[in-house]
Amino acid sequence: MDYINQLIFPPSEGHLLVARFLLVVTLVVHFAYIGFAVGASMISLFLNVVDRDTPNANLRRFAKYLIDLGMVHRGLVFFVGIVPIPVVALLYAQNMYQTSELTALAFVVALPLVVAGFCLLFRYKASWGLREKSFLLHLAPGVLGLGVLTVAYFIILSGVSLSMDPEKWPFITNPYNFFMFSWNNMIRFLRFPIMAFAVTGSAVLFFYFNWPEGEKLEDEQYSRFVRYVGGGLTLGACAVLPVFVVWNLITLPNVALSLSLYGTCIILVALLACAAGKAFGALVSPARTPGAGIFITILVTLALLNVADSIAHENAISDHTSVLLSAAQTAKLEREAKREAAAPAKGSVAEGEQVFKKVCATCHRFDRKVVGPPYDQTLPQYVGHQDQLEAFIRQPSKKNPEYPPMPQLGLRSGEVQSVAMYLLQTYQNGAGKKK
Amino acid sequence: MKKLLTVSLIYAYFGVIIVVIGGLRAYWNKYKAPPDQPINFPHQIHVTKVGLKCFFCHSNADKSIHATVPPVSRCMSCHKAVATDRPEIQKLTGYWKEKRPIQWAQVHKLPDFVYFSHKRHMKKGVACETCHGQVGAMMKMRRVRSLTMGWCISCHRLHQASTDCATCHK
C-alpha cells in the first residue's frame, strides 16, 4: 500500500507551502467546472424527462442549451475536469507524505470513472438527434454518465474527508476503503450537488444574458424562463448551503477546527447572502438584465469553501507537518555538516572565547556549578583529547545524573573547534579558576 | 413593500446563520480550543531545541498511572541561570520565590469514570506521541487526539489489547 509514498520526494517547508497553494487553486478551478458540468447535466436530464411526459419547447430548448454549455469543449473538460485529478492526488500525497495515502489513492481510483463519466455525457450531448427515434438510447448515456460521476465524487470526497481526520488513519486496514459513511463525508457529498446548482444557476444567468449577447434575448418568454430557472436555482442553493456549512463545522474533528476556520465560514455565509440577494433581484426585476455579479460572487464563495476545507485539512495535519518539517530541517543540517566537514574548519582561541561568553557561560563556570557541572571537574578527561571534547559539544549526551542534559548548541564546526581549544587552553593555564 | 419584506427575511435568515456560527466559534474557543496556560511553556524549545526527553519533566509516566507535571524546582534547576531576562521565566521565578504551585490548565483530560494508566501503556511500548501528538513541535500544548472511547477501542483492537469494559471502567 506504500506505492504512492515511494513516488514522492520528502517535502521541505518550501515544498509544502507551494503544494498547499497549488492544492487550493487546483481544487477551486476543478470544482468550479465540475460543479457546473454536473449541475448542468442533472438539470438537463431532468428537464429532458419532464419534456417527454409534458412536451414544452422551452424545457427542451433549455435542456439542450445546458448540456451544450456544460460539455462545451473536449479540451476544456480535459484541462479543468480531468488533469487536476492526478495533480491533486500528487499534492495530497506530498502533504500527507508517509502517513495515509488513502486520500491520494481516492483521486487516482476516481480518475477513470471521471473520464468515463465525461465520455458518457459527451455521448448524451451528441445523441440529441436520436431523441425522437429512441429516447432511451439518447437518455441512457446521460444518466449513466451522471451516475458514474456521482460514484467518482463520492470516492473523491471520502478521501478529502479522511484527510481531515488523521485519528482514523492508523485504523484503516483496507487500502481501498473509500466508501466512508461518516457524517462529515455525507455532508461533503450532499453539499456537492447544492454547490453544483448554485454554480449552474449563476452561470446560466451570466452566459445566457451576457455572453455572447444578442439574439437569444429576442425570445422574451424563453428569456423569462431562463431567468426564473437560473435565479431560482441560485437562490435555493444559496439558502441551503449555509445549513451545510454549519453542519460541517459541527461534524469536523476538533483537531481540524480553528478560529480562522470559523471566521472563513462567517465570510462565506455573508457572501452567500450577497449572492442570494442578487439572485432574488434577478427573479423579481425582469426589466433588469442580470450581470456578472451573481456568477462572480458564487465563484468567490466556491473558492472560499475550498479555502475553508484547506484550512481544516492543514489544521488536522499540522501535527504531521511538524514531523515533515523537522525531518527537512535535520536533512538540511546534515547537508551543511557534510559541507563543513569537506572544508576543514580553522578555529581560534579568540573566537572560542567569544563563543564561551555568548553560549557556554549561561550554564557553566570553571570553578563552580551553575546549571551544568564546573569545567574543573569535567575538562581533565579531555586534556590531550580535544577531538573527544569537540565530539561531545557537537552531540552532547547525558553523563552525570545530577545535572540536566546539555542541549544541542547548533554551533558551526569552526566554532566547536575554537571553543574546545579555548576551554582546554584556559583550563591548562589555570586561568579558569579565576573565571 | 412585499419585495422589501422578502429581501429582509432572506438577509435575516443569513444573519441567523452567521450568529449560529459565531456561537459555535465562541463555544469552541471556550471549551475545545487549546487552553491558555499561566506560563507560556514552549515544548518545542525544551524538547526539540534543548533535547530534553519527556521523562526529564514527566518523571512518573513509566512509574504511575499519572505522568505528572514537574515541580517548579525542576524548572528552576536550569532557569535559575538560563534565560532569566525573559518575562515568562521571571513569572516562573515569581512562583518559585512565593512557593506557589503553577496551576497548569489540563489539556488531556479523561472523564472520572475512565481508568487510564500511563505506566501500563509505557510498559507495552506505546510512544508518547501516539496519544499526545508531536509535542516536541508545539509552542502551545494542544490536544490532537479525541481520546474518545471509540478511538481507545480501535487502538486496543489493533494491538490486540483487552477490550473488556472493566479494563477502563473499574
Side-chain angles (χ1 to χ4, degrees):
Chain A
M1 158 174 194
D2 211 30
Y3 27 83
I4 291 186
N5 274 331
Q6 285 168 8
L7 293 173
I8 301 294
F9 285 107
S12 67
E13 193 172 357
H15 276 120
L16 284 176
L17 208 65
V18 173
R20 278 163 193 185
F21 174 72
L22 287 178
L23 187 64
V24 176
V25 172
T26 317
L27 283 175
V28 169
V29 172
H30 177 67
F31 276 113
Y33 174 68
I34 205 78
F36 179 53
V38 167
S41 308
M42 276 166 91
I43 298 160
S44 170
L45 283 164
F46 174 72
L47 296 181
N48 205 349
V49 173
V50 174
D51 174 61
R52 178 79 178 172
D53 291 339
T54 47
N56 179 326
N58 279 348
L59 296 184
R60 200 161 49 249
R61 185 176 165 189
F62 192 55
K64 182 157 176 15
Y65 172 71
L66 277 177
I67 195 67
D68 286 346
L69 201 61
M71 301 289 116
V72 64
H73 193 272
R74 283 191 170 82
L76 179 75
V77 171
F78 179 73
F79 282 111
V80 296
I82 292 169
V83 171
I85 293 178
V87 172
V88 170
L90 286 172
L91 292 171
Y92 267 116
Q94 185 87 84
N95 265 348
M96 294 159 73
Y97 179 66
Q98 282 185 343
T99 55
S100 172
E101 56 179 33
L102 271 174
T103 303
L105 211 53
F107 278 84
V108 173
V109 168
L111 181 60
L113 293 175
V114 174
V115 174
F118 275 123
C119 289
L120 286 162
L121 287 177
F122 269 112
R123 178 73 208 133
Y124 166 65
K125 178 190 167 188
S127 69
W128 210 263
L130 252 171
R131 188 173 185 272
E132 302 308 325
K133 251 196 240 168
S134 169
F135 186 69
L136 195 65
L137 274 181
H138 159 62
L139 201 70
V143 174
L144 205 61
L146 204 57
V148 170
L149 280 181
T150 305
V151 174
Y153 279 88
F154 188 80
I155 292 173
I156 282 178
L157 295 171
S158 288
V160 173
S161 293
L162 189 68
S163 77
M164 296 172 195
D165 201 355
E167 200 169 285
K168 285 198 176 123
W169 298 348
F171 309 123
I172 297 176
T173 45
N174 175 5
Y176 297 98
N177 190 1
F178 300 120
F179 289 91
M180 276 179 37
F181 290 98
S182 69
W183 278 113
N184 191 251
N185 185 36
M186 292 316 292
I187 289 152
R188 215 167 293 284
F189 181 64
L190 292 174
R191 197 180 68 182
F192 178 62
I194 310 286
M195 197 66 225
F197 287 146
V199 176
T200 309
S202 58
V204 161
L205 290 177
F206 172 66
F207 287 114
Y208 184 83
F209 290 99
N210 297 282
W211 194 27
E213 295 170 64
E215 89 284 354
K216 287 183 289 191
L217 303 179
E218 285 165 16
D219 187 342
E220 204 179 302
Q221 197 200 357
Y222 180 62
S223 293
R224 204 181 312 128
F225 172 76
V226 173
R227 178 195 290 272
Y228 282 143
V229 175
L233 273 176
T234 312
L235 182 60
C238 286
V240 178
L241 266 172
V243 177
F244 284 86
V245 172
V246 172
W247 196 1
N248 182 40
L249 285 172
I250 293 171
T251 56
L252 269 175
N254 189 49
V255 72
L257 297 170
S258 63
L259 289 178
S260 59
L261 179 63
Y262 284 103
T264 310
C265 289
I266 287 174
I267 300 171
L268 187 72
V269 175
L271 276 173
L272 281 171
C274 282
K278 282 176 191 285
F280 181 72
L283 279 174
V284 296
S285 313
R288 213 187 313 154
T289 306
I294 306 176
F295 189 43
I296 292 170
T297 314
I298 289 291
L299 287 182
V300 175
T301 309
L302 178 74
L304 218 57
L305 205 63
N306 280 289
V307 169
D309 278 355
S310 167
I311 292 173
H313 170 62
E314 280 179 35
N315 290 339
I317 66 163
S318 63
D319 203 44
H320 172 62
T321 305
S322 64
V323 178
L324 292 181
L325 295 181
S326 158
Q329 183 66 17
T330 311
K332 189 181 164 197
L333 290 175
E334 276 170 10
R335 282 197 301 275
E336 279 173 5
K338 268 187 196 163
R339 259 205 305 274
E340 280 189 8
K346 284 181 192 165
S348 71
V349 175
E351 188 190 29
E353 188 173 3
Q354 296 289 321
V355 175
F356 170 79
K357 284 179 181 164
K358 196 175 141 197
V359 182
C360 316
T362 313
C363 297
H364 292 282
R365 298 287 186 279
F366 280 81
D367 57 342
R368 62 186 166 89
K369 170 192 167 184
V370 182
V371 174
Y375 283 142
D376 288 345
Q377 272 178 26
T378 56
L379 284 179
Q381 60 180 310
Y382 295 112
V383 174
H385 304 286
Q386 188 183 320
D387 53 329
Q388 288 178 17
L389 179 58
E390 285 176 26
F392 179 80
I393 297 169
R394 268 193 207 98
Q395 195 70 50
S397 58
K398 186 158 181 158
K399 296 212 166 185
N400 189 338
E402 289 172 27
Y403 295 97
M406 181 165 134
Q408 292 267 14
L409 302 173
L411 298 175
R412 285 182 290 108
S413 231
E415 288 175 327
V416 171
Q417 196 184 38
S418 299
V419 81
M421 279 163 66
Y422 168 77
L423 290 177
L424 288 174
Q425 200 182 83
T426 312
Y427 170 71
Q428 283 168 311
N429 290 345
K433 293 189 186 333
K434 291 168 200 162
K435 287 190 185 273
Chain B
M1 187 63 194
K2 200 176 162 191
K3 231 189 264 181
L4 192 71
L5 187 71
T6 316
V7 172
S8 307
L9 279 175
I10 290 174
Y11 286 126
Y13 164 73
F14 285 100
V16 167
I17 297 279
I18 287 175
V19 170
V20 169
I21 297 177
L24 287 173
R25 184 181 188 270
Y27 173 80
W28 182 82
N29 198 29
K30 182 151 192 205
Y31 297 105
K32 303 277 183 176
D36 289 331
Q37 300 289 357
I39 293 174
N40 294 326
F41 175 81
H43 274 89
Q44 197 256 350
I45 304 286
H46 292 80
V47 179
T48 307
K49 203 168 168 198
V50 179
L52 295 179
K53 301 287 174 218
C54 306
F55 293 106
F56 182 76
C57 298
H58 305 286
S59 53
N60 291 314
D62 59 343
K63 300 184 191 91
S64 153
I65 62 168
H66 301 295
T68 65
V69 288
V72 183
S73 58
R74 183 70 49 88
C75 312
M76 292 308 290
S77 66
C78 293
H79 283 296
K80 268 182 195 162
V82 176
T84 48
D85 55 334
R86 307 259 167 91
E88 294 303 300
I89 303 302
Q90 284 162 357
K91 238 192 260 179
L92 172 77
T93 312
Y95 279 98
W96 170 246
K97 282 183 180 161
E98 292 163 22
K99 297 191 191 311
R100 275 194 301 137
I102 304 167
Q103 300 288 330
W104 298 107
Q106 196 170 1
V107 178
H108 295 86
K109 191 170 186 174
L110 289 173
D112 293 341
F113 52 79
V114 175
Y115 172 82
F116 176 84
S117 166
H118 274 89
K119 177 184 166 184
R120 189 160 291 196
H121 286 80
M122 294 271 95
K123 257 190 176 172
K124 283 288 173 190
V126 180
C128 307
E129 289 83 1
T130 309
C131 303
H132 297 287
Q134 301 298 326
V135 176
M138 293 180 196
M139 287 302 278
K140 185 179 187 182
M141 189 66 196
R142 63 195 181 93
R143 208 164 88 170
V144 293
R145 298 286 174 259
S146 62
L147 308 183
T148 56
M149 191 164 94
W151 179 71
C152 296
I153 293 273
S154 300
C155 197
H156 271 228
R157 279 200 191 120
L158 190 71
H159 296 100
Q160 277 113 42
S162 168
T163 50
D164 192 290
C165 305
T167 308
C168 307
H169 305 293
K170 290 186 185 289

